[in-house]
Amino acid sequence: MEASRLALEAVFGIYAEGPDVPGDTAPAHIRRALRAVNVPEAEIDAGLPRWCETFSSHYVRLLAAADTSHWQLAPHAAEAAAAIEHRALLTGNPPAVAYARMERLGLAGLFPRGQGAFGCERENRIELFDLARERAGNWPGERTVAVGDTPLDVASAHAAGCRCIGVTTGSYGRGELADADAVIAELGELAHALGALG
């Protein structure tokens, strides 16, 4: 990704690619990439906050000029999100990147700023759940249900004391998401799955 390359070169003076872990946070991905080329841990720690700011700035600038007409929402995504009374956006993307993408997809109005949790606020995805629940008035973990399409989404929700509904609209099938509390084929089934979980 061009924005990531530009930010890595600006902050760390190199470009590196690490093993991809779908669903992980942006800083966790960058840490793996920098470790792969033996950047010292202290240097990574010192540079990650600036990388987050620089990456976000480049991404938003590049997105403003990009043709995203090919972007498509998963079927029933907007309706499913709108039907949930207590919802929050939890993503591994930095806040500015996440909101820019939501704007392009027409979903920004469903996720007010100041709610949810984002990559670059916490590197560890599990810790994002605590932050999102805190911002929702300390919403209880046992009443929190994540919706995700990667095995890491499922595992991190459970590690945070929350439940998870897996949805197979991404790259993973029912078997790979089997550890979720429920697995659905598309978001039109979300309301029923939430009702079944109680």
Side-chain angles (χ1 to χ4, degrees):
M1 177 187 290
E2 181 71 2
S4 181
R5 180 186 66 78
L6 290 169
L8 276 167
E9 290 176 349
V11 176
F12 296 98
I14 58 169
Y15 178 65
E17 290 187 15
D20 188 30
V21 178
D24 211 350
T25 66
H29 178 75
I30 294 305
R31 184 179 296 278
R32 281 190 298 272
L34 293 170
R35 282 175 173 168
V37 293
N38 300 312
V39 175
E41 207 72 14
E43 188 176 334
I44 298 174
D45 290 340
L48 270 178
R50 191 158 70 90
W51 177 87
C52 283
E53 292 177 9
T54 307
F55 168 68
S56 297
S57 176
H58 282 304
Y59 185 94
V60 171
R61 177 180 56 80
L62 291 169
L63 182 63
D67 175 13
T68 56
S69 59
H70 61 285
W71 285 14
Q72 290 186 338
L73 284 174
H76 310 291
E79 302 93 322
I84 298 171
E85 183 178 359
H86 301 284
R87 61 182 171 269
L89 181 62
L90 189 152
T91 173
N93 289 312
V97 172
Y99 282 117
R101 293 174 66 88
M102 290 297 102
E103 288 281 355
R104 282 291 176 106
L105 291 167
L107 297 177
L110 294 173
F111 300 104
R113 292 180 184 268
Q115 297 293 308
F118 305 88
C120 290
E121 293 185 313
R122 301 288 187 276
E123 185 174 341
N124 184 325
R125 188 175 180 90
I126 297 166
E127 295 174 4
L128 291 178
F129 285 87
D130 289 338
L131 180 58
R133 291 190 305 100
E134 177 186 325
R135 288 174 171 166
N138 293 315
W139 186 261
E142 63 273 13
R143 294 186 60 198
T144 301
V145 181
V147 179
D149 62 3
T150 75
L152 183 61
D153 293 333
V154 177
S156 58
H158 287 163
C162 306
R163 291 180 288 176
C164 186
I165 294 175
V167 57
T168 61
T169 52
S171 302
Y172 294 96
R174 190 169 292 272
E176 295 159 301
L177 300 174
D179 287 341
D181 300 278
V183 179
I184 58 178
E186 47 93 15
L187 290 169
E189 302 172 21
L190 181 59
H192 177 76
L194 286 168
L197 289 181

